[in-house]
Amino acid sequence: AQKITQTQPGMFVQEKEAVTLDCTYDTSDQSYGLFWYKQPSSGEMIFLIYQGSYDEQNATEGRYSLNFQKARKSANLVISASQLGDSAMYFCAMRGTGANSKLTFGKGITLSVRP
Amino acid sequence: NAGVMQNPRHLVRRRGQEARLRCSPVKGHSHVYWYRQLPEEGLKFMVYLQKENIIDESGMPKERFSAEFPKEGPSILRIQQVVRGDSAAYFCASSGTGDTDTQYFGPGTRLTVL
């Protein structure tokens, strides 16, 4: 079974600063994918970034980067130069392979960006 | 490019009625997933379908819930005899190959059961 843990309480960051959102995972699969999604107050789920379990380099997408530490089973999201529009709920998720390609989500972390 | 479409966006039903939620995947995507989000919680997997096949329904409640993805037309999540506990946001996601592709989500259907 796959499990995602997000335990941080609501996070606050000053505009233009960087922030790290924590995610740890547990799985017995050798091949898996890790994702971060953003859910603003409007409710939609927006894909941010993906990291494959065999990827040697940390994924980056614009201001988002994923700090992947396989041995520690962590996949933290780093947002650089925070913007007011980054205020949202952030979900870490894991996907297996084949018939087990469903996403398993963590409970999410609320991020508030202060002007 | 059209993303994942879901309708209706909001649905109100009285206890005992049926709810039908529709999902049109990204054009060319043949893998559809349904997830449910209860208030203040993360998304929970319900069912994974490919055209005309249910691949994984391990997250579906055993009774009242069913899903299909016909050869033509949208995927349908059907909830019979709704109860107040079914009130939630229901999200559909689609991907190209399913196995390795990113799942892209629709805007969700907010179901309220009175």
Side-chain angles (χ1 to χ4, degrees):
Chain A
Q2 299 181 332
K3 184 178 179 182
I4 295 285
T5 302
Q6 296 179 265
T7 57
Q8 288 169 305
M11 294 285 289
F12 294 86
V13 65
Q14 206 68 30
E15 194 178 9
K16 299 180 184 176
E17 292 185 350
V19 62
T20 298
L21 306 182
D22 294 342
C23 172
T24 59
Y25 63 91
D26 192 21
T27 182
S28 56
D29 293 343
Q30 295 300 310
S31 178
Y32 50 88
L34 294 156
F35 299 80
W36 279 90
Y37 287 86
K38 172 185 176 181
Q39 186 175 44
S41 57
S42 51
E44 69 268 35
M45 293 290 289
I46 301 168
F47 164 71
L48 295 179
I49 196 166
Y50 163 77
Q51 178 85 42
S53 57
Y54 291 116
D55 294 342
E56 294 186 353
Q57 302 235 343
N58 286 342
T60 60
E61 288 284 351
R63 294 185 299 111
Y64 305 108
S65 60
L66 199 153
N67 184 3
F68 181 45
Q69 297 189 41
K70 196 170 182 177
R72 293 187 175 186
K73 294 190 175 180
S74 73
N76 298 340
L77 177 70
V78 181
I79 305 174
S80 62
S82 297
Q83 301 172 356
L84 295 178
D86 293 335
S87 294
M89 193 80 162
Y90 289 81
F91 291 97
C92 180
M94 161 180 276
R95 181 202 62 208
T97 57
N100 190 32
S101 60
K102 65 178 181 284
L103 290 172
T104 300
F105 284 85
K107 290 184 180 295
I109 303 167
T110 301
L111 176 66
S112 298
V113 181
R114 291 173 168 149
Chain B
N1 286 327
V4 178
M5 312 279 283
Q6 288 188 250
N7 66 81
R9 296 290 303 274
H10 300 274
L11 183 61
V12 179
R13 286 286 179 265
R14 296 191 180 281
R15 281 180 295 170
Q17 292 184 321
E18 178 179 289
R20 281 187 181 235
L21 287 61
R22 294 175 186 77
C23 168
S24 296
V26 172
K27 189 174 181 180
H29 283 189
S30 58
H31 299 249
V32 165
Y33 304 78
W34 285 93
Y35 297 86
R36 176 165 65 176
Q37 184 178 31
L38 296 171
E40 309 300 324
E41 292 191 14
L43 278 69
K44 295 280 195 283
F45 167 76
M46 299 182 74
V47 62
Y48 165 28
L49 310 106
Q50 293 179 26
K51 289 281 188 182
E52 300 183 281
N53 284 306
I54 296 175
I55 307 302
D56 179 0
E57 57 181 346
S58 59
M60 285 280 269
K62 296 289 182 233
E63 298 178 350
R64 302 186 299 108
F65 285 73
S66 62
E68 62 176 6
F69 188 18
K71 188 176 180 181
E72 302 289 339
S75 175
I76 306 287
L77 179 68
R78 182 183 178 205
I79 311 172
Q80 295 179 286
Q81 299 176 320
V82 296
V83 300
R84 289 221 172 104
D86 296 333
S87 294
Y90 292 83
F91 288 92
C92 167
S94 75
S95 70
T97 63
D99 188 57
T100 56
D101 276 5
T102 295
Q103 293 178 28
Y104 292 94
F105 282 78
T109 294
R110 271 82 184 160
L111 172 66
T112 301
V113 179
L114 301 177

